[in-house]
Structure formats: structure tokens, C-alpha cells
């Protein structure tokens, strides 16, 4: 019996195109917690100013999608530094995690377009 391994989404693999230079990306603070994969849709926790996985059921600010995590981050008990695609990009919809119709509309407001 063989084990089938699936390779995770690599850093930036979801990007189809982005603005010149690195205008599409920003350094961000990601809230402590479980690991997040490249392509995770993120929301911003209003009280802390830290990013976390987009959660449409939340009531802390993270219920609104604002960007996409560029590279995976491991689990951590402290705030982590990461990179996110925050504007001016085309992304591969099938490689995103946590996406729904509301997130798609919210990302479009930041000129992040799903293909």
C-alpha cells in the first residue's frame, strides 16, 4: 500500500500577475495561532491590527477579507511577521484557502482579481 503525498501551495504560487516591482505586497503582522498556508485569505483584527484567517462568522474585523498570505507560516504562540498580497494582482482562485463570494467581492475592492 502506498501513501499519496500532496504538495502544499508554494509561496506566491497563486499569483498570476502583480503590479510592477513589489507594489502588490506588504509586510504584515499575523496573529498568534495555528499555521496558515500560502494563499490563505486574511482578515484584519480591528483591536490588535494583526491579520488572521478570514472568518465570515467573526465579529472582530476578520469577517472582511482584505488580503492573501504570500507564504505559509507555522503555528506560533506569538505574533508572526509575514508577507501578503494586498493590492493590484490577479490570483488563481483554485489555489486560495478560505475563499467565498463575500471575500471575492472584498478582495476586488483592493484590485485583487480572481481568475
Amino acid at each position: 500500500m502506498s501513501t499519496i503525498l500532496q504538495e502544499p501551495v508554494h509561496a506566491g504560487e497563486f499569483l498570476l500577475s502583480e503590479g510592477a516591482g513589489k507594489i502588490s505586497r506588504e509586510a504584515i503582522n499575523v496573529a498568534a495561532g495555528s499555521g496558515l498556508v500560502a494563499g490563505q485569505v486574511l482578515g484584519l483584527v480591528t483591536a490588535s491590527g494583526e491579520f488572521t484567517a478570514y472568518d465570515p462568522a467573526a465579529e472582530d474585523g476578520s469577517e472582511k477579507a482584505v488580503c492573501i498570505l504570500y507564504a505559509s507560516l507555522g503555528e506560533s504562540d506569538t505574533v508572526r511577521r509575514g508577507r501578503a498580497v494586498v493590492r493590484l494582482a490577479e490570483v488563481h482562485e483554485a489555489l486560495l484557502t478560505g475563499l467565498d463570494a463575500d471575500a471575492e467581492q472584498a478582495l476586488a475592492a483592493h484590485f485583487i482579481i480572481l481568475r
Side-chain angles (χ1 to χ4, degrees), residues 23-38:
I23 195 169
S24 298
R25 303 182 208 172
E26 293 286 343
I28 61 170
N29 289 324
V30 179
S34 60
L36 299 171
V37 296

Side-chain angles (χ1 to χ4, degrees), residues 11 18 26 42 69 93:
E18 62 182 320
E26 293 286 343
L42 300 176
L69 188 65
E93 172 177 11

Side-chain angles (χ1 to χ4, degrees), residues 51-97:
F51 292 83
T52 191
Y54 162 70
D55 179 1
E59 295 181 2
D60 61 1
S62 65
E63 69 275 9
K64 183 173 180 185
V66 294
C67 61
I68 303 169
L69 188 65
Y70 181 79
S72 298
L73 291 173
E75 184 175 338
S76 177
D77 293 334
T78 60
V79 174
R80 304 162 275 185
R81 198 76 170 141
R83 296 262 175 212
V85 174
V86 300
R87 69 182 81 78
L88 300 174
E90 292 176 293
V91 297
H92 193 300
E93 172 177 11
L95 297 178
L96 300 183
T97 301

